[in-house]
Amino acid sequence: MKRSAFAVAATAAALLASPSAAVAAPATHSSIFAGYVVSKPSAHIKNVTATFEVPSITCEHELGGVGPSVLLYSKVNPRTGSHRTSGGGIGVACQNGAAFYQSVFIVNDKTVEGGLVTFTPGDVVVVSVRVTRAASTVTIDDTTTGVSRSHTGHGKVASQSFIGDNAVNVDGVRGELNPFTKTRVTRVRIDGTPLGENHPDRFVWVRGGSTLVATSRLTAGENFTLTFRNGG
């Protein structure tokens, strides 16, 4: 079985080594992520939900793709960027030139191997990540097919969340960014409040001065669209 994991979970910490530095910028550049980030270093983020419409991917390259997802960071060190990650989403990727669409669960830095969900482009998928002192729970619910899965681990205290498109590794290898249709993200809520009320930072996926994935501004305070521009 193919296994995909979000590269941002392992490597994005350097982008946020000083979270407060990004607050004033209208859009921050990332080499592996496009979307919105909420940082609450002096508070706790307990529950983040977002609804994704599964995009379709074109396999111009044999290996690589994108991961619409919700990630929560706990134990964030603002000086070194070290952290623990729990999150979930959709691996939209190609392997050996064939497209696949598969759930990804990460609980306390560990990618869950079993209990996966497969998707079809156009499916409407709700991702919910809840991190409290009692437990860390990741739920992925395909509302189109009615299939839902959850995985739970030890509790943590989260202070940052990423909502958007991440780079993905397929069987441990990160390939190219293949073209994909627009990722529509709606009803993003942080502890029950709209994303826009939580002072989010907008990130654009950039490489070598070229925009790979563009992030729209918010509509209705909780919806946005991610658009593929080029593969870099």
Side-chain angles (χ1 to χ4, degrees):
M1 177 179 289
K2 307 175 185 70
R3 294 187 298 275
S4 54
F6 303 127
V8 72
T11 60
L15 299 173
L16 297 177
S18 179
S20 60
V23 173
T28 302
H29 290 178
S30 167
S31 61
I32 54 175
F33 172 76
Y36 283 86
V37 177
V38 172
S39 300
K40 295 186 177 183
S42 60
H44 300 166
I45 301 174
K46 295 181 179 180
N47 189 46
V48 179
T49 61
T51 300
F52 299 92
E53 182 179 327
V54 179
S56 175
I57 195 168
T58 299
C59 297
E60 290 186 355
H61 305 281
E62 286 197 353
L63 181 69
V66 69
S69 55
V70 173
L71 302 177
L72 262 66
Y73 282 6
S74 59
K75 293 188 175 180
V76 177
N77 185 319
R79 183 175 58 84
T80 66
S82 64
H83 61 279
R84 295 287 181 89
T85 304
S86 289
I90 307 151
V92 178
C94 300
Q95 188 174 46
N96 298 324
F100 69 95
Y101 306 86
Q102 177 182 284
S103 63
V104 180
F105 292 88
I106 302 171
V107 180
N108 297 329
D109 280 348
K110 295 183 179 180
T111 300
V112 178
E113 300 295 342
L116 300 178
V117 183
T118 58
F119 306 104
T120 300
D123 283 3
V124 176
V125 178
V126 178
V127 178
S128 176
V129 183
R130 182 173 178 80
V131 176
T132 68
R133 295 182 188 276
S136 300
T137 301
V138 181
T139 301
I140 299 178
D141 181 11
D142 186 339
T143 64
T144 302
T145 64
V147 176
S148 181
R149 296 284 188 276
S150 293
H151 294 279
T152 298
H154 294 299
K156 302 290 180 183
V157 175
S159 58
Q160 285 185 334
S161 181
F162 292 73
I163 308 100
D165 276 342
N166 295 306
V168 295
N169 296 332
V170 180
D171 286 340
V173 179
R174 190 190 313 175
E176 302 295 329
L177 181 61
N178 279 309
F180 58 92
T181 57
K182 290 183 178 181
T183 305
R184 304 185 191 281
V185 191
T186 59
R187 289 171 282 186
V188 182
R189 294 275 168 148
I190 310 291
D191 292 329
T193 62
L195 173 62
E197 295 182 9
N198 292 270
H199 308 289
D201 299 316
R202 183 166 60 98
F203 277 66
V204 177
W205 193 333
V206 174
R207 185 183 302 159
S210 178
T211 298
L212 276 59
V213 182
T215 304
S216 75
R217 296 191 180 277
L218 292 176
T219 60
E222 59 182 9
N223 309 316
F224 63 95
T225 301
L226 299 159
T227 304
F228 174 85
R229 297 297 190 202
N230 69 76

